[in-house]
Amino acid sequence: MTVESLLSVLADGKFHSGEQLGETLGVSRTAVWKQIKKVEGLGLVLESVKGKGYCIRGGLDLLSRSAIQSGLASEARDLLGDFLVLGTVDSTNTVATDGAQGDVIVAEQQTAGRGRRGRQWQSPFASNIYLSLVWEFAGGAAALEGLSLAVGVAVVDALAACSLGGVALKWPNDVLVDGRKLAGVLLEMSGDAAGPCKVIVGVGLNVNMPAAPAIDQPWVDVNTLAMGTVSRNQLVIALLNQLLPLLSHYERSGFASIRERWLALNAFQGEQVFVTLGDEVIVGHMAGVDGSGALLLDTVSGRRVFNGGEVSLRRVTSGA
Ligand code: BTN
């Protein structure tokens, strides 16, 4: 018996006695008890009441490989490679480094989730979405400028398909609602600048974040915005329905065809912002992005252009 099989029974939020769990899962009560300890180790709150057994209050919304696969639109299904739905991993982007074209990895938990600029990405169990997708491009990394912004637009479209609106993008690809971070995108590329290269597209989406995670910026999750529970499987379906076709068309169509949409979603358009580039802090007005997705900043000494990488952007008046 694995901890996953125990969780699939406890996911209904009801009480199950040790004896009943042992019978359902075909193992001894001692084996059940050992797995119960592992459940607690995942950071889940397990209630134990004498005479009633064990229960996870409110139940769990677990990822289901079959539910996701059968919910995909036909274009996404045709583009999907190997599809892994995992329990605990260090980072889905790390697992994806061994992957090939169209492979997708989702996990219930990451122990070393990575954010942009060396930050950690909080990844508690069965709470949010941690998804990585592998795509191979023949034309080299240079042809992929703007891809990370395009991924942000695809995430916004996926959220809209789940009836979540009011979403904006902070350059290059933070997904915000009212200045609070809902999702983040981390692209990692390997291979040739001019020839074949492989891109791992990592998306982290806050869905049902437990109280008080250690996040050093304003954040929000899907369930708070929806004022109810949105199925994580539906959210993964919506993300894959947008991301797989985007990646398959991107090399041909590039960022230019998506630029107007990105600008319409720009959280800071025309606002006074500051850009941090290493030790340098530059203040100016956010003038949008160019045809390759580079940030345009109007400063007192003229227009400056910034590419992705280690640049960070902040609104002058708020913490977002
Ligand atoms: C950001 O800092 O905004 C980017 C966050 C990206 C997080 C996702 S979760 C899935 C994938 N695996 C990781 O370790 N990081 C990305």
Side-chain angles (χ1 to χ4, degrees):
M1 181 185 60
T2 60
V3 70
E4 280 83 12
S5 53
L6 174 61
L7 286 173
S8 66
V9 180
L10 292 170
D12 64 6
K14 297 186 179 141
F15 274 99
H16 298 270
S17 69
E19 191 179 350
Q20 184 200 341
L21 287 168
E23 266 168 33
T24 311
L25 300 165
V27 294
S28 70
R29 286 182 67 171
T30 317
V32 170
W33 188 82
K34 278 188 188 156
Q35 296 302 331
I36 290 281
K37 291 287 136 205
K38 286 195 190 162
V39 170
E40 288 167 345
L42 293 172
L44 296 170
V45 182
L46 195 68
E47 240 179 90
S48 157
V49 175
K50 220 170 168 201
K52 283 172 98 178
Y54 304 98
C55 147
I56 294 177
R57 213 32 95 186
L60 284 177
D61 173 28
L62 293 172
L63 296 170
S64 156
R65 185 174 187 274
S66 57
I68 295 168
Q69 257 178 329
S70 60
L72 290 178
S74 59
E75 186 179 6
R77 200 174 305 151
D78 292 347
L79 293 166
L80 182 67
D82 287 346
F83 180 35
L84 302 181
V85 177
L86 304 174
T88 301
V89 298
D90 49 1
S91 153
T92 54
N93 267 28
T94 305
V95 177
T97 48
D98 293 331
Q101 179 77 352
D103 289 357
V104 171
I105 296 105
V106 287
E108 295 287 6
Q109 179 185 37
Q110 297 184 119
T111 53
R114 293 200 294 275
R116 282 185 70 232
R117 301 168 54 244
R119 286 175 144 163
Q120 258 201 330
W121 188 256
Q122 290 296 326
S123 310
F125 193 89
S127 301
N128 303 318
I129 287 170
Y130 320 115
L131 177 150
S132 297
L133 213 152
V134 184
W135 207 262
E136 288 159 2
F137 292 93
L144 300 179
E145 281 181 313
L147 177 62
S148 85
L149 281 77
V151 168
V153 174
V155 172
V156 174
D157 288 342
L159 293 167
C162 297
S163 307
L164 288 151
V167 185
L169 291 171
K170 186 183 103 170
W171 186 88
N173 51 24
D174 280 5
V175 180
L176 306 181
V177 174
D178 294 332
R180 292 172 295 169
K181 188 150 167 175
L182 177 64
V185 175
L186 178 69
L187 257 64
E188 295 180 309
M189 304 197 186
S190 58
D192 207 318
C197 72
K198 184 162 110 172
V199 179
I200 295 165
V201 177
V203 179
L205 171 63
N206 300 333
V207 182
N208 186 25
M209 190 70 96
I215 301 180
D216 60 357
Q217 58 182 316
W219 59 272
V220 69
D221 60 17
V222 166
N223 285 354
T224 304
L225 295 172
M227 292 188 290
T229 304
V230 179
S231 144
R232 289 193 304 142
N233 290 316
Q234 282 306 324
L235 288 162
V236 173
I237 291 167
L239 284 168
L240 294 179
N241 280 344
Q242 295 297 331
L243 288 168
L244 286 160
L246 166 76
L247 292 167
S248 121
H249 299 148
Y250 194 80
E251 209 157 11
R252 239 173 308 122
S253 55
F255 180 65
S257 62
I258 300 165
R259 180 171 168 266
E260 285 304 321
R261 289 228 42 228
W262 194 92
L263 289 173
L265 293 165
N266 184 6
F268 294 172
Q269 186 72 26
E271 289 192 34
Q272 209 183 17
V273 293
F274 54 84
V275 167
T276 311
L277 178 62
D279 290 339
E280 197 188 359
V281 178
I282 310 115
V283 180
H285 282 93
M286 167 49 149
V289 294
D290 69 10
S292 68
L295 164 67
L296 303 175
L297 188 73
D298 286 339
T299 73
V300 283
S301 45
R303 177 161 287 188
R304 289 192 58 177
V305 180
F306 298 92
N307 294 298
E310 293 305 298
V311 181
S312 96
L313 174 69
R314 288 273 184 279
R315 188 185 256 139
V316 168
T317 50
S318 94

